[in-house]
Amino acid sequence: MGTASVPPKTGPLVTPERVRAARSLAAEAGTDLLVLTPGSDLRYLTGYDAHAMERLTALAVPSAGEPFLVVPRLEAPMVDVSPAGALGLEMLAWDETDDPFALLAGAATARLGAAPTRVAVGARTWAEHALGVQRALPGSTLELAGPVLDRLRMVKSAAEIEELALAGAAIDRVHARMAEFLTVGRTEAAIGADIAAAILEEGHVGVDFTIVGSGPNGASPHHELSDRVVQAGDVVVIDIGGETATGYRSDCTRTYVVGGDAEPDVAEWYAVLHAAQQASVAAVRPGVTAAQVDAAARDVIAGAGWGEHFIHRTGHGIGLDSHEAPYIVAGNDLPLVPGMAFSVEPGIYLPGRCGARIEDIVVCTEDGVRSLNGGPRELVELPG
């Protein structure tokens, strides 16, 4: 992926420098044209949170010449009133009988002086849009824009970090209310519905996910809500997150025991998990690799004999997406730099019995690490 680029550390969330930086990195990578359709990449560069649909909306960033927006004419007023309207980007509005892909290809070719041959699209671009761009540029090759955009997005500005901190504080408030929702005799689905309402009440505009893994369901890290009824003594994994008004995300996991004592060995292996999470957070500092942060947690768990029960990576980046670069996983030798924000979330999962996970969002700082979540990391006992 290369060395991360560090964006300006102060100022508003969206600035013209972001688009210019993307153009510079595209040219450095030998990419002739970036095409970014509705999604987090478009929102990151322009502030325009466009609705994904069959009509093409795209930011085109040629490696030479000025970037431009291609938008359906009926949505042009929405661009004008969004943050994108203040960036001075040329907007090419197309009518229902126009070919927007030909419009995009022609404008990009005019800026570059020749048809682009290497075109990069966002990872979540609809196939019909990616193929439409390729058809309009015969002979071009498509690649992913991640190697360019990730270098910008995974290093957060001070303004972005504060947005993530606000999101973290909001999800912490939901966990602090867990005794209201998580009680013996209720189904996971009912508990999840109440948690989702609380996520909105506590400062989010959208709910990304509510995982309530009770008893044996806690051994499935991405368990879906079910009609299982919580029993006394259940260990319950609660992994929740949402979207704030600016698009930045929260994600925090805590593990609870409800209405009685857990099985006798739970305290023993949960202490291992707790130590692993603490070790991984403590390992975060500039120059340490993502793989080393993963190893800091994994080595503790494996050393205590529970390694086969830690079945996923230690973390993922977070920002305008719940999961984005950098990924905290074995084999990722990317060195951390100040401003990288990601989860640290080791888990231990015992099929047929229960599971546990502890997750915080942390930021690599100039001299170490800042956690954006509070609250207890110990096994939380609720009366039920």
Side-chain angles (χ1 to χ4, degrees):
M1 187 176 291
T3 303
S5 298
V6 180
K9 289 295 181 184
T10 59
L13 288 172
V14 179
T15 66
E17 285 74 22
R18 284 186 176 177
V19 177
R20 288 196 284 268
R23 180 177 60 191
S24 176
L25 289 175
E28 179 184 315
T31 300
D32 299 317
L33 179 66
L34 297 175
V35 179
L36 304 172
T37 54
S40 57
D41 287 335
L42 178 64
R43 188 172 187 179
Y44 176 82
L45 290 179
T46 70
Y48 182 37
D49 187 19
H51 174 63
M53 60 176 178
E54 75 285 356
R55 294 184 177 95
L56 179 69
T57 293
L59 171 69
V61 184
S63 58
E66 293 301 311
F68 58 94
L69 281 164
V70 174
V71 299
R73 189 174 302 280
L74 77 166
E75 296 198 340
M78 297 166 60
V79 179
D80 286 333
V81 299
S82 78
L87 296 181
L89 298 171
E90 182 180 4
M91 181 165 58
L92 305 181
W94 59 275
D95 295 307
E96 296 283 43
T97 56
D98 293 337
D99 181 347
F101 301 101
L103 179 64
L104 186 153
T109 299
R111 283 161 169 76
L112 290 166
T117 57
R118 288 185 60 190
V119 180
V121 298
R124 295 172 180 82
T125 300
W126 284 14
E128 66 178 299
H129 293 157
L131 294 174
V133 170
Q134 190 173 46
R135 282 194 298 269
L137 292 166
S140 65
T141 59
L142 284 186
E143 55 194 52
L144 293 178
V148 172
L149 271 298
D150 287 353
R151 289 176 64 183
L152 292 175
R153 290 184 54 184
M154 69 182 167
V155 183
K156 270 57 180 182
S157 68
E160 289 181 286
I161 291 168
E162 290 315 304
E163 290 298 326
L164 288 170
L166 290 171
I171 210 68
D172 284 350
R173 291 193 294 271
V174 179
H175 274 292
R177 294 176 54 187
M178 202 54 59
E180 298 176 32
F181 322 126
L182 181 52
T183 57
V184 172
R186 302 194 73 203
T187 66
E188 293 174 349
I191 294 165
D194 285 348
I195 292 173
I199 289 172
L200 299 177
E201 291 166 3
E202 295 296 345
H204 298 79
V205 298
V207 178
D208 283 340
F209 50 88
T210 55
I211 295 174
V212 180
S214 65
N217 291 339
S220 174
H222 285 174
H223 172 67
E224 297 283 347
L225 296 174
S226 77
D227 290 330
R228 184 184 184 275
V229 175
V230 173
Q231 307 293 315
D234 272 354
V235 176
V236 185
V237 178
I238 304 289
D239 184 351
I240 53 178
E243 178 185 0
T244 65
T246 55
Y248 287 81
R249 310 286 169 153
S250 64
D251 188 359
C252 183
T253 308
R254 296 290 182 258
T255 303
Y256 301 83
V257 60
V258 188
D261 295 329
E263 295 181 36
D265 67 330
V266 170
E268 174 189 343
W269 58 258
Y270 191 90
V272 172
L273 176 63
H274 189 198
Q277 207 258 356
Q278 288 179 310
S280 190
V281 171
V284 176
R285 61 184 181 276
V288 171
T289 68
Q292 288 173 317
V293 176
D294 178 88
R298 201 166 301 278
D299 290 350
V300 172
I301 294 172
W306 297 97
E308 67 181 286
H309 299 289
F310 181 13
I311 58 176
H312 54 71
R313 67 192 175 205
T314 293
H316 56 81
I318 191 169
L320 291 174
D321 286 317
S322 296
H323 288 198
E324 60 183 55
Y327 294 99
I328 310 304
V329 64
N332 185 358
D333 294 325
L334 179 74
L336 302 183
V337 301
M340 286 184 174
F342 50 88
S343 68
V344 176
E345 50 178 306
I348 292 177
Y349 308 95
L350 308 179
R353 287 188 57 196
C354 61
R357 185 165 60 255
I358 308 169
E359 177 184 18
D360 292 316
I361 301 303
V362 303
V363 180
C364 181
T365 65
E366 296 287 347
D367 56 0
V369 62
R370 173 188 175 188
S371 178
L372 302 186
N373 294 106
R377 282 88 177 170
E378 298 79 15
L379 187 62
V380 180
E381 297 181 358
L382 297 180

mmCIF file of all heavy atoms in Angstrom, residues 20-43:
data_model
loop_
_atom_site.group_PDB
_atom_site.id
_atom_site.type_symbol
_atom_site.label_atom_id
_atom_site.label_comp_id
_atom_site.label_asym_id
_atom_site.label_seq_id
_atom_site.Cartn_x
_atom_site.Cartn_y
_atom_site.Cartn_z
ATOM 1 N N ARG A 20 -7.194 17.730 -4.450
ATOM 2 C CA ARG A 20 -5.871 17.951 -5.034
ATOM 3 C C ARG A 20 -4.899 16.848 -4.609
ATOM 4 O O ARG A 20 -4.074 16.390 -5.401
ATOM 5 C CB ARG A 20 -5.347 19.334 -4.636
ATOM 6 C CG ARG A 20 -6.073 20.468 -5.330
ATOM 7 C CD ARG A 20 -5.308 21.761 -5.230
ATOM 8 N NE ARG A 20 -5.415 22.364 -3.913
ATOM 9 C CZ ARG A 20 -6.343 23.253 -3.566
ATOM 10 N NH1 ARG A 20 -7.271 23.619 -4.454
ATOM 11 N NH2 ARG A 20 -6.358 23.778 -2.365
ATOM 12 N N ALA A 21 -4.997 16.425 -3.348
ATOM 13 C CA ALA A 21 -4.125 15.348 -2.873
ATOM 14 C C ALA A 21 -4.430 14.051 -3.601
ATOM 15 O O ALA A 21 -3.509 13.288 -3.953
ATOM 16 C CB ALA A 21 -4.286 15.171 -1.362
ATOM 17 N N ALA A 22 -5.708 13.769 -3.848
ATOM 18 C CA ALA A 22 -6.080 12.559 -4.578
ATOM 19 C C ALA A 22 -5.524 12.591 -5.997
ATOM 20 O O ALA A 22 -5.018 11.585 -6.505
ATOM 21 C CB ALA A 22 -7.601 12.411 -4.601
ATOM 22 N N ARG A 23 -5.599 13.758 -6.632
ATOM 23 C CA ARG A 23 -5.043 13.882 -7.995
ATOM 24 C C ARG A 23 -3.540 13.647 -7.993
ATOM 25 O O ARG A 23 -2.998 12.947 -8.857
ATOM 26 C CB ARG A 23 -5.367 15.269 -8.554
ATOM 27 C CG ARG A 23 -4.840 15.508 -9.964
ATOM 28 C CD ARG A 23 -5.253 16.851 -10.494
ATOM 29 N NE ARG A 23 -4.737 17.931 -9.652
ATOM 30 C CZ ARG A 23 -5.116 19.207 -9.757
ATOM 31 N NH1 ARG A 23 -6.024 19.553 -10.665
ATOM 32 N NH2 ARG A 23 -4.610 20.129 -8.976
ATOM 33 N N SER A 24 -2.846 14.210 -7.012
ATOM 34 C CA SER A 24 -1.400 14.046 -6.930
ATOM 35 C C SER A 24 -1.011 12.588 -6.706
ATOM 36 O O SER A 24 -0.088 12.070 -7.356
ATOM 37 C CB SER A 24 -0.848 14.920 -5.793
ATOM 38 O OG SER A 24 0.531 14.713 -5.618
ATOM 39 N N LEU A 25 -1.728 11.912 -5.813
ATOM 40 C CA LEU A 25 -1.422 10.507 -5.534
ATOM 41 C C LEU A 25 -1.767 9.614 -6.726
ATOM 42 O O LEU A 25 -1.074 8.621 -6.985
ATOM 43 C CB LEU A 25 -2.166 10.044 -4.291
ATOM 44 C CG LEU A 25 -1.659 10.614 -2.959
ATOM 45 C CD1 LEU A 25 -2.562 10.175 -1.820
ATOM 46 C CD2 LEU A 25 -0.220 10.185 -2.698
ATOM 47 N N ALA A 26 -2.838 9.964 -7.456
ATOM 48 C CA ALA A 26 -3.179 9.191 -8.659
ATOM 49 C C ALA A 26 -2.073 9.303 -9.693
ATOM 50 O O ALA A 26 -1.654 8.309 -10.295
ATOM 51 C CB ALA A 26 -4.503 9.679 -9.228
ATOM 52 N N ALA A 27 -1.578 10.522 -9.895
ATOM 53 C CA ALA A 27 -0.489 10.718 -10.852
ATOM 54 C C ALA A 27 0.759 9.957 -10.420
ATOM 55 O O ALA A 27 1.441 9.319 -11.239
ATOM 56 C CB ALA A 27 -0.194 12.208 -11.004
ATOM 57 N N GLU A 28 1.045 9.991 -9.120
ATOM 58 C CA GLU A 28 2.205 9.272 -8.588
ATOM 59 C C GLU A 28 2.089 7.770 -8.826
ATOM 60 O O GLU A 28 3.091 7.081 -9.071
ATOM 61 C CB GLU A 28 2.320 9.570 -7.091
ATOM 62 C CG GLU A 28 3.458 8.898 -6.365
ATOM 63 C CD GLU A 28 3.417 9.177 -4.875
ATOM 64 O OE1 GLU A 28 3.207 10.351 -4.502
ATOM 65 O OE2 GLU A 28 3.577 8.225 -4.080
ATOM 66 N N ALA A 29 0.860 7.255 -8.742
ATOM 67 C CA ALA A 29 0.629 5.821 -8.925
ATOM 68 C C ALA A 29 0.518 5.416 -10.390
ATOM 69 O O ALA A 29 0.382 4.231 -10.695
ATOM 70 C CB ALA A 29 -0.647 5.410 -8.192
ATOM 71 N N GLY A 30 0.546 6.401 -11.306
ATOM 72 C CA GLY A 30 0.398 6.094 -12.719
ATOM 73 C C GLY A 30 -1.032 5.873 -13.152
ATOM 74 O O GLY A 30 -1.286 5.320 -14.217
ATOM 75 N N THR A 31 -1.974 6.302 -12.319
ATOM 76 C CA THR A 31 -3.398 6.183 -12.637
ATOM 77 C C THR A 31 -3.835 7.423 -13.395
ATOM 78 O O THR A 31 -3.629 8.550 -12.935
ATOM 79 C CB THR A 31 -4.228 6.035 -11.351
ATOM 80 O OG1 THR A 31 -3.806 4.853 -10.664
ATOM 81 C CG2 THR A 31 -5.711 5.941 -11.669
ATOM 82 N N ASP A 32 -4.447 7.249 -14.559
ATOM 83 C CA ASP A 32 -4.845 8.385 -15.387
ATOM 84 C C ASP A 32 -6.106 9.065 -14.883
ATOM 85 O O ASP A 32 -6.258 10.280 -15.020
ATOM 86 C CB ASP A 32 -5.074 7.928 -16.828
ATOM 87 C CG ASP A 32 -3.817 7.346 -17.464
ATOM 88 O OD1 ASP A 32 -2.736 7.931 -17.269
ATOM 89 O OD2 ASP A 32 -3.930 6.296 -18.136
ATOM 90 N N LEU A 33 -7.029 8.265 -14.313
ATOM 91 C CA LEU A 33 -8.339 8.816 -13.978
ATOM 92 C C LEU A 33 -8.934 8.075 -12.792
ATOM 93 O O LEU A 33 -8.986 6.844 -12.792
ATOM 94 C CB LEU A 33 -9.280 8.691 -15.185
ATOM 95 C CG LEU A 33 -10.710 9.188 -15.015
ATOM 96 C CD1 LEU A 33 -10.740 10.707 -14.818
ATOM 97 C CD2 LEU A 33 -11.563 8.784 -16.230
ATOM 98 N N LEU A 34 -9.366 8.818 -11.792
ATOM 99 C CA LEU A 34 -10.176 8.281 -10.708
ATOM 100 C C LEU A 34 -11.634 8.579 -11.008
ATOM 101 O O LEU A 34 -11.978 9.709 -11.377
ATOM 102 C CB LEU A 34 -9.815 8.938 -9.368
ATOM 103 C CG LEU A 34 -8.410 8.756 -8.801
ATOM 104 C CD1 LEU A 34 -8.252 9.608 -7.535
ATOM 105 C CD2 LEU A 34 -8.143 7.294 -8.490
ATOM 106 N N VAL A 35 -12.495 7.587 -10.837
ATOM 107 C CA VAL A 35 -13.940 7.778 -10.987
ATOM 108 C C VAL A 35 -14.599 7.274 -9.707
ATOM 109 O O VAL A 35 -14.554 6.074 -9.409
ATOM 110 C CB VAL A 35 -14.493 7.029 -12.214
ATOM 111 C CG1 VAL A 35 -16.003 7.232 -12.313
ATOM 112 C CG2 VAL A 35 -13.803 7.507 -13.491
ATOM 113 N N LEU A 36 -15.207 8.194 -8.969
ATOM 114 C CA LEU A 36 -15.756 7.864 -7.657
ATOM 115 C C LEU A 36 -17.251 8.143 -7.645
ATOM 116 O O LEU A 36 -17.693 9.288 -7.799
ATOM 117 C CB LEU A 36 -15.044 8.680 -6.573
ATOM 118 C CG LEU A 36 -13.511 8.488 -6.573
ATOM 119 C CD1 LEU A 36 -12.853 9.450 -5.612
ATOM 120 C CD2 LEU A 36 -13.142 7.049 -6.257
ATOM 121 N N THR A 37 -18.013 7.092 -7.483
ATOM 122 C CA THR A 37 -19.470 7.174 -7.481
ATOM 123 C C THR A 37 -19.982 7.260 -6.045
ATOM 124 O O THR A 37 -19.186 7.241 -5.102
ATOM 125 C CB THR A 37 -20.043 5.950 -8.216
ATOM 126 O OG1 THR A 37 -19.513 4.766 -7.619
ATOM 127 C CG2 THR A 37 -19.660 5.978 -9.700
ATOM 128 N N PRO A 38 -21.308 7.394 -5.823
ATOM 129 C CA PRO A 38 -21.810 7.588 -4.459
ATOM 130 C C PRO A 38 -21.298 6.559 -3.471
ATOM 131 O O PRO A 38 -21.277 5.351 -3.732
ATOM 132 C CB PRO A 38 -23.323 7.489 -4.654
ATOM 133 C CG PRO A 38 -23.540 8.077 -6.016
ATOM 134 C CD PRO A 38 -22.379 7.559 -6.818
ATOM 135 N N GLY A 39 -20.889 7.047 -2.337
ATOM 136 C CA GLY A 39 -20.301 6.219 -1.297
ATOM 137 C C GLY A 39 -19.340 7.047 -0.477
ATOM 138 O O GLY A 39 -19.249 8.276 -0.635
ATOM 139 N N SER A 40 -18.595 6.389 0.365
ATOM 140 C CA SER A 40 -17.760 7.106 1.315
ATOM 141 C C SER A 40 -16.585 7.819 0.658
ATOM 142 O O SER A 40 -16.147 8.874 1.148
ATOM 143 C CB SER A 40 -17.264 6.148 2.396
ATOM 144 O OG SER A 40 -16.569 5.060 1.830
ATOM 145 N N ASP A 41 -16.040 7.289 -0.449
ATOM 146 C CA ASP A 41 -14.942 7.993 -1.120
ATOM 147 C C ASP A 41 -15.411 9.337 -1.665
ATOM 148 O O ASP A 41 -14.726 10.360 -1.522
ATOM 149 C CB ASP A 41 -14.377 7.147 -2.264
ATOM 150 C CG ASP A 41 -13.550 5.968 -1.784
ATOM 151 O OD1 ASP A 41 -13.009 6.029 -0.663
ATOM 152 O OD2 ASP A 41 -13.436 4.978 -2.544
ATOM 153 N N LEU A 42 -16.562 9.338 -2.321
ATOM 154 C CA LEU A 42 -17.121 10.584 -2.840
ATOM 155 C C LEU A 42 -17.409 11.557 -1.704
ATOM 156 O O LEU A 42 -17.100 12.759 -1.788
ATOM 157 C CB LEU A 42 -18.394 10.295 -3.635
ATOM 158 C CG LEU A 42 -19.129 11.519 -4.201
ATOM 159 C CD1 LEU A 42 -18.273 12.235 -5.223
ATOM 160 C CD2 LEU A 42 -20.465 11.096 -4.819
ATOM 161 N N ARG A 43 -17.977 11.058 -0.612
ATOM 162 C CA ARG A 43 -18.286 11.932 0.519
ATOM 163 C C ARG A 43 -17.006 12.472 1.147
ATOM 164 O O ARG A 43 -16.949 13.636 1.552
ATOM 165 C CB ARG A 43 -19.113 11.169 1.554
ATOM 166 C CG ARG A 43 -19.649 12.059 2.668
ATOM 167 C CD ARG A 43 -20.622 11.319 3.554
ATOM 168 N NE ARG A 43 -21.245 12.221 4.511
ATOM 169 C CZ ARG A 43 -22.149 11.853 5.406
ATOM 170 N NH1 ARG A 43 -22.548 10.582 5.470
ATOM 171 N NH2 ARG A 43 -22.682 12.731 6.240
#
